[in-house]
Amino acid sequence: MTEIARRAKQSLELIHAMIYFAPEAADGFAGLGLERGLMSYYAGRSAAMGPVGAGVVAATFYNFNPESVAPVIPRAWSIAAPEAVLAARLKAADAALRRLLGDDTIASGAVAETAELAREAAQACTPDGKPLYAAHADLPWPDEPHLKLWHAITLLREFRGDAHIAALQHGGLSGIQALALHSTVPGGFDGDVAKKLRAWSDEQWDRAFQELRERGLVGAEREITEAGHALREEIEAATDAMSMAPWSALGEARTTELIGSGGRLSKALVEAGAMPRGLRRTR
């Protein structure tokens, strides 16, 4: 049944991830005085952990260049307190979801029912060894159904993401190596985009591919090998297994219901332009 965890990720994650591309979020953080780009991203996603330092952010985000974190974290907290960042983020989620889905959908029974299912699933997660999930799980639940849904999917995303980092470490892949290997598969993260967005230099990117090649995971032309495919599947399977708590709690029928209703909302978000092309399959 563990494959249902992957299906859930693919169907539900955009409900949360749209926040990273929403102009409402960029403008909201800028209104606090935060720099657009990496400062706003790092602060927005890590604020639930409090005024943490660069090392904590780099460790929990995993595949971003730590050298890009240090110039903006913890400096961001001298500009805007984590509580203010969290408030701006939730306000942006409200505005973005209303713009993308429309007020009629936001007020619909379908959103309310999906939110309750997602909340039940998220509350079945456990914080052990899951720092980003645990930090977000300590936040209060929003009252409005669409924000309750957004928060629940945030929890589910970070729960799986924390598990994925553990699986990557078990597989012996650093953050940049995992990112580079992901860029070699059909439908994966475009390499040039990944390198730019995660702030890795050409030299660091080339070194990561050399390391992957030495392990037999990619070939001379940076194409993924059978061993690379096998390792990726092993890591994804381990991630699925460690991410089963919410879906075991809901059961197969209700999980399938959530995947269906959440998937329809995700489709509507895609059609409304919530996420740039080429980024929809990134983690």
Side-chain angles (χ1 to χ4, degrees), residues 164-219:
H164 188 62
I165 290 174
L168 288 171
Q169 291 183 310
H170 183 72
L173 290 179
S174 67
I176 187 174
Q177 289 170 349
L179 193 64
L181 190 61
H182 184 46
S183 74
T184 66
V185 300
F189 209 161
D190 177 83
D192 290 337
V193 175
K195 181 175 58 176
K196 179 179 179 181
L197 290 182
R198 302 298 192 255
W200 296 103
S201 69
D202 291 342
E203 181 182 1
Q204 290 168 322
W205 195 249
D206 291 343
R207 188 183 311 124
F209 267 103
Q210 179 60 34
E211 292 163 350
L212 293 173
R213 185 179 179 186
E214 290 171 357
R215 290 182 60 182
L217 302 176
V218 300

Side-chain angles (χ1 to χ4, degrees), residues 60-269:
T60 52
F61 288 20
Y62 201 64
N63 63 16
F64 286 79
N65 188 346
E67 295 172 8
S68 72
V69 183
V72 296
I73 298 291
R75 184 164 60 89
W77 312 131
S78 68
I79 299 170
E83 295 79 9
V85 175
L86 288 169
R89 194 185 196 210
L90 189 63
K91 182 178 180 180
D94 178 28
L97 287 171
R98 289 183 182 278
R99 171 177 58 84
L100 293 164
L101 295 177
D103 287 339
D104 288 346
T105 297
I106 291 296
S108 68
V111 165
E113 292 165 9
T114 304
E116 288 304 320
L117 279 174
R119 177 173 182 167
E120 185 175 342
Q123 289 179 322
C125 299
T126 54
D128 312 60
K130 309 273 193 318
L132 269 175
Y133 163 77
H136 286 86
D138 281 345
L139 300 178
W141 280 88
D143 293 326
E144 295 184 82
H146 66 293
L147 293 179
K148 187 184 300 181
L149 175 61
W150 181 80
H151 183 60
I153 302 304
T154 300
L155 296 179
L156 294 169
R157 180 186 192 267
E158 299 298 8
F159 182 75
R160 183 183 176 92
D162 287 338
H164 188 62
I165 290 174
L168 288 171
Q169 291 183 310
H170 183 72
L173 290 179
S174 67
I176 187 174
Q177 289 170 349
L179 193 64
L181 190 61
H182 184 46
S183 74
T184 66
V185 300
F189 209 161
D190 177 83
D192 290 337
V193 175
K195 181 175 58 176
K196 179 179 179 181
L197 290 182
R198 302 298 192 255
W200 296 103
S201 69
D202 291 342
E203 181 182 1
Q204 290 168 322
W205 195 249
D206 291 343
R207 188 183 311 124
F209 267 103
Q210 179 60 34
E211 292 163 350
L212 293 173
R213 185 179 179 186
E214 290 171 357
R215 290 182 60 182
L217 302 176
V218 300
E221 302 300 321
R222 297 188 174 182
E223 74 281 8
I224 192 167
T225 62
E226 289 186 12
H229 279 299
L231 179 60
R232 275 184 49 81
E233 181 51 38
E234 178 184 316
I235 288 169
E236 291 299 326
T239 303
D240 292 339
M242 289 187 284
S243 304
M244 277 301 296
W247 318 120
S248 296
L250 279 189
E252 187 172 359
R254 297 175 73 225
T255 297
T256 300
E257 180 182 350
L258 175 57
I259 288 172
S261 59
R264 287 188 287 274
L265 291 172
S266 293
K267 181 180 179 181
L269 289 170

Side-chain angles (χ1 to χ4, degrees), residues 10-87:
Q10 293 167 346
S11 295
L12 302 173
E13 187 170 330
L14 182 56
I15 295 171
H16 163 79
M18 62 87 201
I19 196 67
Y20 302 118
F21 308 97
E24 292 87 349
D27 292 344
F29 294 143
L32 296 176
L34 297 178
E35 297 168 7
R36 294 177 185 268
L38 287 177
M39 176 184 277
S40 289
Y41 176 81
Y42 291 144
R45 191 175 170 208
S46 69
M49 295 188 288
V52 294
V56 173
V57 172
T60 52
F61 288 20
Y62 201 64
N63 63 16
F64 286 79
N65 188 346
E67 295 172 8
S68 72
V69 183
V72 296
I73 298 291
R75 184 164 60 89
W77 312 131
S78 68
I79 299 170
E83 295 79 9
V85 175
L86 288 169

Side-chain angles (χ1 to χ4, degrees), residues 187-190 193 275-282:
F189 209 161
D190 177 83
V193 175
M275 204 168 193
R277 291 184 180 276
L279 296 180
R280 293 171 188 164
R281 293 176 65 90
T282 64

